[in-house]
Amino acid sequence: MTPRRSVLYLPASNPRAVEKARTLPCDVVVLDLEDAVGPDDKAAARSAAVAALRQGGFQAREVGVRVNGLDTDWGDDDLAALGGAAPAFIVAPKVSTADHAAAFTARLPDGAALWAMIETPRALFHLDAIAATPRLGALMLGVNDLAAMLRCAPAPDREPLKTAMSLTVAAARAHGLAPIDGVFNALDDEAGFEAECRQGRLYGFEGKSLIHPRQIAPANAAFSPSAEEIAWAEAVVEAFDDRENRGRGVLRVAGAMVERLHLSRARDTLALRDLAGTL
């Protein structure tokens, strides 16, 4: 299990932001060549992303690059340039079909996974096929583009996007992928951000896409197991590890019936606790 509670986007063209990211407590860094970079700066940003990856220094963080679409003037050049830079993953924007995902997969650098952004209405009707793409590692909900294409109104609880959220998580879980929630744009609304993080975790997302370092700490907190969850997990693991209970499928723990499926989740909870503490 790899912690992906906080997935920070930053413009690859901003050297100060890239340098700062090497010391931030986020789990994942995404060097952005797409939305955060203007047309005139695309080539320079691409070169900067390659240089940053080769320099390294991000410690235990996963580092990937969001490239431009293959239907743009820059997508193919982005992927070609990253071939020798060893990114952990490539974020593909606006993946709408399995063929679209496969086109990115065919151009992936050696050893890199593909993270597909789900941000078009069409993608919602092809989620299972997209999620079955070889070398896919995550589905990332792109709420801004999706909401714009759906022409839905904003709502504090993301009411118009709840179906997309559930379907994205279901497709990711069905294929063993990490579901990552979308960005929250109101940087000064700390309470709103924390509420949206809690909602994302409630729906089953593993982490959240971030657009500013100030969002890292609340995202890490929201997507980390609470003290109560850790205590429950420890009790479940201890109960099933007890010599008298070995081989049993159902036990009573803290007044509730638990099965071996709960044991698996308890072990995942403790693994996330331990791994998150190393970052």
Side-chain angles (χ1 to χ4, degrees):
M1 174 180 289
T2 302
R4 288 161 178 154
R5 303 163 298 173
S6 46
V7 181
L8 179 65
Y9 279 85
L10 53 92
S13 55
N14 187 332
R16 291 182 62 185
V18 173
E19 184 60 31
K20 185 176 182 180
R22 291 185 167 93
T23 64
L24 292 171
C26 55
D27 292 339
V28 182
V29 172
V30 179
L31 305 175
D32 195 7
L33 304 180
E34 197 214 12
D35 285 347
V37 179
D40 293 341
D41 297 324
K42 295 288 189 184
R46 182 188 306 129
S47 297
V50 171
L53 288 166
R54 288 177 174 167
Q55 181 181 348
F58 293 93
Q59 302 176 54
R61 299 166 189 84
E62 283 187 289
V63 184
V65 180
R66 178 164 69 170
V67 298
N68 290 281
L70 296 177
D71 57 347
T72 70
D73 294 333
W74 312 286
D76 279 314
D77 290 340
D78 289 346
L79 289 166
L82 292 165
F89 60 90
I90 295 295
V91 177
K94 299 178 179 65
V95 174
S96 295
T97 66
D99 287 344
H100 192 187
F104 278 99
T105 301
R107 295 167 172 81
L108 282 178
D110 289 344
L114 181 69
W115 289 22
M117 293 202 69
I118 304 303
E119 48 188 341
T120 70
R122 190 179 184 192
L124 301 180
F125 295 93
H126 296 270
L127 274 170
D128 187 63
I130 292 170
T133 302
R135 296 180 65 180
L136 197 64
L139 294 181
M140 307 183 76
L141 190 62
V143 293
N144 287 336
D145 282 280
L146 182 59
M149 292 184 189
L150 290 172
R151 301 184 185 179
C152 60
D157 63 350
R158 297 192 287 182
E159 180 67 30
L161 297 177
K162 287 180 176 178
T163 297
M165 293 165 63
S166 293
L167 289 173
T168 299
V169 171
R173 297 301 184 191
H175 292 273
L177 310 176
I180 306 297
D181 199 2
V183 299
F184 183 83
N185 298 315
L187 291 177
D188 295 328
D189 185 2
E190 295 180 7
F193 177 72
E194 291 173 3
E196 194 166 289
C197 285
R198 290 193 297 270
Q199 181 195 44
R201 190 174 182 211
L202 178 68
Y203 270 68
F205 287 101
E206 288 188 12
K208 192 159 184 65
S209 302
L210 311 180
I211 57 175
H212 196 279
R214 75 175 67 170
Q215 297 176 326
I216 296 172
N220 283 348
F223 288 95
S224 293
S226 66
E228 293 78 10
E229 289 170 322
I230 290 171
W232 173 85
E234 290 175 336
V236 170
V237 170
E238 182 179 356
F240 275 100
D241 283 348
D242 187 281
R243 182 179 302 175
E244 294 182 1
N245 295 329
R246 290 178 185 174
R248 296 180 62 183
V250 180
L251 296 176
R252 181 171 178 170
V253 178
M257 299 304 295
V258 296
E259 304 175 37
R260 289 199 169 268
L261 63 91
H262 299 108
L263 174 62
S264 177
R265 184 162 185 175
R267 285 174 172 160
D268 285 346
T269 296
L270 298 180
L272 178 58
R273 175 203 62 185
D274 296 341
L275 287 169
T278 67
L279 295 172

